[in-house]
Amino acid sequence: MSAGLTLKLDIRERMAGSISYLIAAFLLIGVAGPLLAILGKSLLAQSGEFTGLSNFIEITNVAGFWSAVGNSLWVSALTTAIVLPLAYVFAAALSRSAMPGKAVFRYLALIPLLAPSLLPGISLVYLFGNQGLIKSWLPLGVSIYGPLGIVLGEVFYTFPHALMILLTALAIADTRLYEAATSLGAGRVRQWFTVTLPAVRYGLISAAFVVFTLVMTDFGVPKLIGGQFNVLAVEAYKQVIGQQNFPKGAVIGLLLLFPALLSFVVDYFVQKKQKALLTARAQPLVAKPSVLRDAAAFLCCCTISLWLLVMLGVAVAASLITLWPYNLSLTLAHFDFEQMDGGGWLAYFNSLKLAFWTAICGVLLVFIGAYLNEKLKVAPLALAILRVLAMLPMAVPGLVLGLGYVFFFNHPQNPMHSLYGTMGLLVLCTVTHFYTTAHLTATTALKQMDTEFEAVAASLKVPFWTTFSRVTVPVCLPAILDIARYYFVSAMTTVSAVIFLYTPDTVLSSLAVLNMDDAGDTAAAAAMATLIVMTSALVCLLFAIASALLGKRSQAWRR
């Protein structure tokens, strides 16, 4: 090999390695730095002196702390107990029945993903609040402002997360197992316990931990409708915003990190134990028509979908009613956000800006990082950092990450201190917060491509960026669009991760919902939440059309 060619190859490897180190540095700054900052803050007094574990001891003696812990555990456990069977029945109806309208039901079930977690709280106020539409349905003496409201709101918020996991768990099954069970005389109930349950138990465990963690760390629903029923996420907010006690806020943030980390660890070991259920000789299960089963499945899906639509519809109706319940005429006055506290139209356009830049930056960082990790295998140290830190955001609640950003980027000795309070920091936080899911999506798409592409390109002395732009990107376009869509919608609806980071100039629409509700403008808050849902739905529709069109190109490339 000539010296010139060796130099060219060396330059290409160095370039790929440099990019790997840049992405690793991004994750170190965006994930590791804030987490270390929140850990360090928890060991300091308000004056800045090192106090060790005294903050952890003091917080346990604060009035109401243990009740907040108990309340958080109780509503999390109860919500999980409600969501899991509902999501399982819905997933089973979609994957194990021959009922009509499956595609419609699947889309309806994902509606909560398009809305900020504050929307169900607003809907519940209009349904069961002091002037609620069906307040009389509640037993005498029972109020929606408390654990009941939190649980109902969290069920709406977490349902699609559990559903997606269980759909995946139920999607694969070997029909031979069911035929063997039937030939041995096992009825449907016994088949469920001996065949179905063992196959989906890992999915059920994963879904349970995801729902429990989401409820434990959610800030939006309990802040809006929790009343005097205190939970840990709201307590952390009170310590930081209300009392300016940053060390104690950091301590509570670390406590919120424990259930998320436990969920992450358990899910990791569960996935390791899970074995392949579909061998090369397996026959995929295809649901055969059954009048009774399909009718029951259709009825269950209709009931759950109707509830989801009611929760969304009430918020939309509230945004269009002049003054509930005294003047029920329709109006668009609540969309005149400039007349309301909360940020006005600036908040909405800031959210569009955040979503746009998050989608662009997120796609570039995630897909290039996944490509370097899966295909080139250069800079082993950088790729090791990338692999570890790419999975860490999944285990970090948004509220904890946001607190860490306050302590890390607001530190006067941090050279990146100038980022604090800017839209750039909100983009960095949002990209980091949702990095894991996007990374797994990109990795899955790249694993489906033969590694021979890179090997052949290297043998022909073709630079890796040429292979990347001309082969990898066209083939993976549907996955790239999925990542962009995920980032855009997540940025439009995020609350907890950015609640501590915005300024009057960078206020977001999801936060404006909270601010307007705090100011008593509940109808305007409903209008802003409705606008977020409509924007998210429209963007998803556009991405779906683009994905369908580009999917044909991708298939042509694969052939």
Side-chain angles (χ1 to χ4, degrees), residues 514-531:
L514 178 63
N515 293 336
M516 287 188 285
D517 182 78
D518 283 343
D521 297 322
T522 308
M528 184 65 84
T530 299
L531 195 58

Side-chain angles (χ1 to χ4, degrees), residues 273-361:
K273 289 184 178 180
Q274 189 171 7
K275 298 179 180 179
L277 300 176
L278 208 63
T279 63
R281 293 178 294 176
Q283 300 176 13
L285 179 65
V286 177
K288 298 178 181 179
S290 170
V291 176
L292 184 60
R293 182 204 61 204
D294 294 344
F298 186 78
L299 180 61
C300 288
C301 287
C302 283
T303 303
I304 295 173
S305 298
L306 178 62
W307 169 66
L308 296 175
L309 287 173
V310 166
M311 292 288 283
L312 175 63
V314 167
V316 174
S319 69
L320 299 173
I321 292 175
T322 301
L323 182 62
W324 178 265
Y326 306 106
N327 185 352
L328 302 183
S329 60
L330 299 180
T331 180
L332 293 176
H334 302 308
F335 288 87
D336 187 7
F337 300 123
E338 296 302 331
Q339 305 302 317
M340 315 290 179
D341 293 328
W345 279 100
L346 174 66
Y348 176 71
F349 290 116
N350 278 342
S351 283
L352 289 179
K353 188 187 299 183
L354 172 67
F356 174 79
W357 286 112
T358 298
I360 296 296
C361 297

